[in-house]
Amino acid sequence: METLILVIGDFHVPDRVPEVPQQVKRFVESNSFNIILSTGDLTSEKVLEWLKRQAPLKVVMGNMDYLPLPKEEKIEVHRLKIGLTHGTGVWPRGDERQLVKIAERMDVDILISGHTHRPAISLRNGRLLINPGSATGAWGGSSDWTTPSFMTMKISGEKLEVETFI
């Protein structure tokens, strides 16, 4: 059995960009995801509702969100424990040592975070750290990255594939 997960976040619609880019929308809407994991900073109910229509959704609150969302989420897929956090409070943004500590505290194999607006994947201390970047390419507080990005995770038995889309 295979599980296909969309990993996406840092939309900032409409405060920094007017809408989700059409190429991102087309990709999301043309795939059948088992679950969507979002790192937050949706900044609008419109984006939240769109994501909910695509697949079951787990989303955390970003530092720019005013929606009633949890700060962290944790799920298990095929015996892999996956944690989800925005990354607010990690300074400098995306600091891997601090992200590993969060993963250890949450007792997860994979920690998905956002906040940097820059896609990244690394393995540290036996924990996989994943950041999908910004779905819209919105500017971020410490990033000059302006290209939309997101990721998919395909979990099949003991096999995990992570793919970045830019």
Side-chain angles (χ1 to χ4, degrees):
M1 184 174 142
E2 184 176 275
T3 300
L4 184 60
I5 301 170
L6 175 65
V7 182
I8 196 165
D10 285 301
F11 292 86
H12 293 279
V13 172
D15 63 328
R16 294 185 183 169
V17 294
E19 62 185 29
V20 178
Q22 286 304 311
Q23 70 270 26
V24 174
K25 277 186 173 179
R26 274 193 301 276
F27 180 89
V28 172
E29 292 172 1
S30 67
N31 282 278
S32 295
F33 295 102
N34 298 101
I35 190 166
I36 298 172
L37 301 178
S38 176
T39 61
D41 271 352
L42 312 176
T43 70
S44 75
E45 188 87 27
K46 177 180 164 183
V47 174
L48 178 65
E49 293 306 317
W50 174 70
L51 288 172
K52 284 181 178 178
R53 287 192 304 273
Q54 307 312 310
L57 173 67
K58 291 287 186 186
V59 60
V60 292
M61 180 186 297
N63 61 302
M64 301 293 290
D65 281 322
Y66 300 100
L67 304 167
L69 302 169
K71 291 189 178 186
E72 293 180 342
E73 286 281 356
K74 183 176 169 179
I75 66 167
E76 191 166 328
V77 179
H78 300 276
R79 297 187 307 220
L80 277 175
K81 294 181 279 185
I82 304 170
L84 185 61
T85 187
H86 181 66
T88 306
V90 172
W91 185 257
R93 289 180 190 217
D95 182 76
E96 291 181 352
R97 289 181 307 237
Q98 292 175 58
L99 292 171
V100 166
K101 288 180 182 177
I102 293 169
E104 290 170 347
R105 177 182 52 75
M106 291 180 73
D107 186 30
V108 294
D109 306 303
I110 301 169
L111 181 68
I112 298 169
S113 64
H115 198 48
T116 67
H117 294 219
R118 182 179 293 277
I121 302 172
S122 64
L123 184 62
R124 296 283 184 254
N125 295 10
R127 314 283 174 156
L128 186 61
L129 306 175
I130 296 176
N131 184 324
S134 168
T136 60
W139 62 271
S142 65
S143 176
D144 57 357
W145 183 267
T146 57
T147 303
S149 63
F150 57 91
M151 296 180 179
T152 61
M153 291 175 32
K154 192 182 301 181
I155 304 172
S156 178
E158 299 294 315
K159 185 177 178 183
L160 168 67
E161 292 177 47
V162 180
E163 189 171 358
T164 304
F165 293 85
I166 296 175

